[in-house]
Amino acid sequence: MSRVLQHRSLALAATALAVVMPLASTAQATGPAPGPSLPIRSETHARISTAYELPGDRVYPEGIAADPRTGHLYAGSYTDGTVFRMTPGRRVAEIFLPAGADGRTTANGLKVDQAGRLWVIDSTAGVSVYDVRSRRLLARFEVPGHSASFVNDLALAPDGSAYLTDSRRAMVYRVTRQQLAEAEADGTPYLLTPRFDMGNHVDPHAAYTLNGIAADPSGRYLLTVDMTGGALYRLDLASGAIRRVALHGGDMLHADGLELQHGRLWAVHNVTHTISRWRIDADGYAARAERRVTDEALQIPTTLVRRHGTLYVVRSQFDKGGPMGPGTPESPFTVAAVNGI
């Protein structure tokens, strides 16, 4: 089997295991343990509607990002690497980057920075950076070493650095502005640089751990979630310190994508079809659950982005003929608009 096919098989297995794996034993880490697991029953009402349709019968979308300058949204196909662009006022998305472009076999974590660069994670390899105007590939960063890895999600810090989670290695990588400039000028792939090693903090028995990640707008810290242990971690950008966030009123079990704005954190919990909202304290050391909604209309949500008070949530349908099992997905694949949470 070729290296690409081996990586592809690993990627599919990784997502399937990551979203259905039962709660792992509590991680040994500094700080209080998470509270009780989120119940399935909804505790608030939310308005869920279809915002966009994604063309194709095997899309299985995973990532979403908003361009802060134009309002365009971007979503990626987990199964073939297609990247779609959604324009406000248009129901059906357009294909922005075709399947397999630049050797990309999947597209999960996505972000658009203030300079108009689109970051696209390929969980099997690393991350590629594109100019949203020309669609030109600017730079590529690959995972170092040969041990099993699964690059999952990314966050952009105010200083322009990108931070990426690796679910298999319990690692957070960093790409600095200088590294990006060097890679773009050189025109060859660069290696991702490890920044936070979470191996001594998350459950050592879990095969897949870190998932969503979000950056504090002040530039002090990152928040990242251990989806199998149900914990949230604060990563200090200045000192490199890693500390578990004290969660009150729930936990982060099955948490996938995160969105942090104005002291509030939203998380999607994939297999329970849940969105939770948390109030983060001023220093990022504690979080209190404020609201949550559970609705099968979310169709295994894998990530979200918030624009003008509306959450745009990816409906992956991974459990309907995708990486989680057999079946037939509803057509077309869609991105939901969620209000009221």
Side-chain angles (χ1 to χ4, degrees):
M1 183 180 293
S2 70
R3 181 174 180 267
V4 171
L5 288 176
Q6 287 176 333
H7 279 305
R8 183 68 178 143
S9 299
L10 173 62
L12 290 171
T15 294
L17 285 172
V19 295
V20 302
M21 186 178 296
L23 177 62
S25 58
T26 303
Q28 298 299 313
T30 302
S37 300
L38 285 167
I40 295 297
R41 185 170 179 267
S42 176
E43 293 188 359
T44 190
H45 294 288
R47 299 182 301 279
I48 302 173
S49 60
T50 296
Y52 297 102
E53 298 176 1
L54 306 176
D57 58 2
R58 298 283 302 172
V59 175
Y60 297 103
E62 210 279 346
I64 192 168
D67 187 329
R69 304 161 309 115
T70 66
H72 287 116
L73 300 180
Y74 295 84
S77 167
Y78 182 77
T79 53
D80 63 17
T82 301
V83 175
F84 302 91
R85 181 166 66 184
M86 295 157 277
T87 302
R90 297 182 183 177
R91 177 82 166 187
V92 180
E94 64 174 314
I95 293 177
F96 182 74
L97 299 173
D102 305 303
R104 190 181 56 257
T105 60
T106 186
N108 37 314
L110 303 175
K111 282 292 185 295
V112 182
D113 64 25
Q114 294 288 345
R117 293 181 292 246
L118 173 65
W119 298 67
V120 183
I121 287 180
D122 180 336
S123 60
T124 68
V127 64
S128 298
V129 186
Y130 292 87
D131 185 323
V132 297
R133 299 173 187 85
S134 65
R135 311 188 191 198
R136 181 172 65 91
L137 176 66
L138 301 175
R140 180 182 296 157
F141 294 86
E142 298 179 345
V143 178
H146 301 288
S147 62
S149 67
F150 189 89
V151 188
N152 203 323
D153 202 358
L154 79 157
L156 300 174
D159 69 353
S161 297
Y163 293 87
L164 302 87
T165 57
D166 190 323
S167 300
R168 287 296 302 271
R169 298 183 183 181
M171 182 74 66
V172 176
Y173 306 109
R174 178 176 64 182
V175 177
T176 66
R177 292 177 61 182
Q178 181 178 349
Q179 288 172 327
L180 177 59
E182 291 174 355
E184 184 175 351
D186 189 78
T188 59
Y190 272 43
L191 293 180
L192 290 167
T193 303
R195 177 62 181 94
F196 295 94
D197 186 345
M198 305 283 291
N200 292 327
H201 297 267
V202 301
D203 185 352
H205 302 293
Y208 302 94
T209 52
L210 303 183
N211 199 327
I213 189 169
D216 166 42
S218 72
R220 293 174 299 163
Y221 61 86
L222 307 169
L223 295 175
T224 189
V225 66
D226 174 8
M227 59 186 167
T228 53
L232 183 69
Y233 289 90
R234 182 190 189 277
L235 313 181
D236 193 282
L237 291 176
S239 68
I242 300 170
R243 178 169 173 174
R244 189 156 64 190
V245 176
L247 298 178
H248 304 283
D251 63 25
M252 288 289 177
L253 179 61
H254 302 308
D256 205 321
L258 304 177
E259 177 79 346
L260 178 62
Q261 291 186 11
H262 309 298
R264 283 192 167 93
L265 179 72
W266 288 263
V268 292
H269 305 253
N270 44 46
V271 296
T272 59
H273 314 285
T274 296
I275 302 172
S276 62
R277 194 185 87 187
W278 304 76
R279 168 63 73 178
I280 306 296
D281 74 2
D283 296 317
Y285 292 113
R288 183 173 299 278
E290 291 185 321
R291 294 182 182 178
R292 57 181 171 263
V293 60
T294 297
D295 195 315
E296 291 189 2
L298 294 172
Q299 298 179 316
I300 312 291
T302 52
T303 194
L304 74 170
V305 68
R306 189 170 184 263
R307 291 281 296 173
H308 306 302
T310 296
L311 296 175
Y312 293 93
V313 182
V314 173
R315 291 162 156 167
S316 75
Q317 297 197 73
F318 278 177
D319 60 336
K320 297 177 181 177
M324 283 175 56
T328 302
E330 293 182 17
S331 184
F333 286 89
T334 60
V335 171
V338 182
N339 290 280
I341 182 172

